[in-house]
Every structure is written in C-alpha cells, then in structure tokens.
Amino acid sequence: MLKRNFNHIKRMENRKLIRLFIALLFLTSAVSAQYRPDIELKELFKDVQLGRVFNDSKTFADCTPRFSVDSILRNYQLEKQRPGFNLKTFVEANFILPAKVHTPVDVKDFPPIDQHLNELWTQLERPASKSVGSLIGLPHPYVVPGGRFNEIYYWDSYFTMLGLRQSGRVELIQNMIDNFAYLIQQYGFIPNGNRSYYLSRSQPPYFS
C-alpha cells in the first residue's frame, strides 16, 4: 500500500515537472519571438548608443526597422567603410524614429485644472495594437506617461488608474488590467513596460 502511494506521488511529481518544462519552453519562445534591438542589432546598436547619435539611449531602442535586420546589418558593414559616412543619416534611412508627442498649451487660454486633466486622458490613451519594433502589442487600449515614454508602465499604471477613477474612466481601467493579465499569460509575469527590452525585469507587484 505504501509503495503504491509512493509511486502515485512520484507520477504526480513527474507530471508537474513536465508541465513546468512545457511552460518554460512556451515562455522562452514567446520572449525570443519579440524583436530585441540590443541583441539583434549587435555592433550597430552599440555604435549608435556609444556614439550618442541621439540625446538619450531610449530613442534608438524604440526605433522600428524599415527593412530586415540582416539586410540593415549587411548594409551597415558596407556603408561605414565609405568616406564621409554619417551614422545618424544611416539610422534615419533604415529606421522609423518614434513619434514625438508634444501638446502646446497657450497659457492665456489654460482651462481649469480638472478640465485640463480630464482632457489629457484622450491625448495619453493608446489603442490596442500589434507588436512593432520593440513595442509589445496589447489587446486593449491603455494610458502612457507621454513625451518620450510612449508605452504602458507597470506600477505607474496603478497611480494612473487612481486618476482615471476620479475621471470616471472605469472602462479604460478595466482595459489596462486586462492588458496586464494578457502579459502574464504571454510571458509569465508583467514586465517593467510593454517593450522587449523590459522583458528582463519587472516592478513592485501592484497587479494583485
């Protein structure tokens, strides 16, 4: 009897290990399928970042390749040998730069602060989208911080939701929660933000 119970427990443990192994394979394939500029662009990524082509290190990581990465890298090896080669010109020809979000405000016509904040939600809301470049697509609309930060962030969104609740945007709150649940289903955790270069880290566990 004892031996039979032991064998039963052993079989259960083996099934758990198999399920865990399959889950790890799935998560690994999901992460590797996402475009990773810091890995895939190799020497080019290093040269652009260390060469300070842009004012910050985030801009190039958020660029979207116009062509296949292999062809860009081949062209880079050829072009950089030519006299007068300009790295920034090469990047602009081969990548789509992230859009700059800037909303000018006329101080003379500035609305009451509560009205202004309510109007900002529509400017900061992003629609559901597919993955493009380093951006990880999400199935529902969400809110971004704005400016150079054009993606959702994990624990920041908790405080964003407090503001959305005050504005009565409950549906958008639900959409953002559903997006985080989607990220858990896809990657097993919620990354720092929906960018491939955030897949190596997370933030304080606010989802619960």
Side-chain angles (χ1 to χ4, degrees), residues 67 167 191:
F67 317 103
S167 298

Side-chain angles (χ1 to χ4, degrees), residues 139-154:
H140 306 284
Y142 55 95
V143 173
V144 302
R148 61 196 286 267
F149 300 101
N150 201 27
E151 55 279 315
I152 196 172
Y153 283 85
Y154 179 12

Side-chain angles (χ1 to χ4, degrees), residues 105-161:
V105 176
D106 189 337
V107 178
K108 294 180 294 184
D109 300 323
F110 199 85
I113 188 63
D114 55 345
Q115 178 186 337
H116 173 64
L117 291 175
N118 285 328
E119 291 173 350
L120 279 178
W121 296 131
T122 58
Q123 297 176 27
L124 297 175
E125 183 179 348
R126 298 292 179 268
S129 60
K130 295 182 179 180
S131 296
V132 57
S134 62
L135 185 70
I136 299 172
L138 295 173
H140 306 284
Y142 55 95
V143 173
V144 302
R148 61 196 286 267
F149 300 101
N150 201 27
E151 55 279 315
I152 196 172
Y153 283 85
Y154 179 12
W155 82 315
D156 306 50
S157 293
Y158 171 78
F159 304 101
T160 299
M161 290 174 189

Side-chain angles (χ1 to χ4, degrees), residues 22-36 40 131 133-137 182-189 191 195-197 199:
I22 292 172
L24 288 173
L25 283 178
F26 173 78
L27 293 176
T28 302
S29 62
V31 171
S32 61
Q34 184 70 41
Y35 167 67
R36 301 288 297 270
E40 295 184 40
S131 296
S134 62
L135 185 70
I136 299 172
Y182 167 81
L183 288 170
I184 292 175
Q185 292 169 0
Q186 292 295 307
Y187 302 105
F189 73 106
R195 291 279 180 183
S196 61
Y197 49 77
L199 288 172

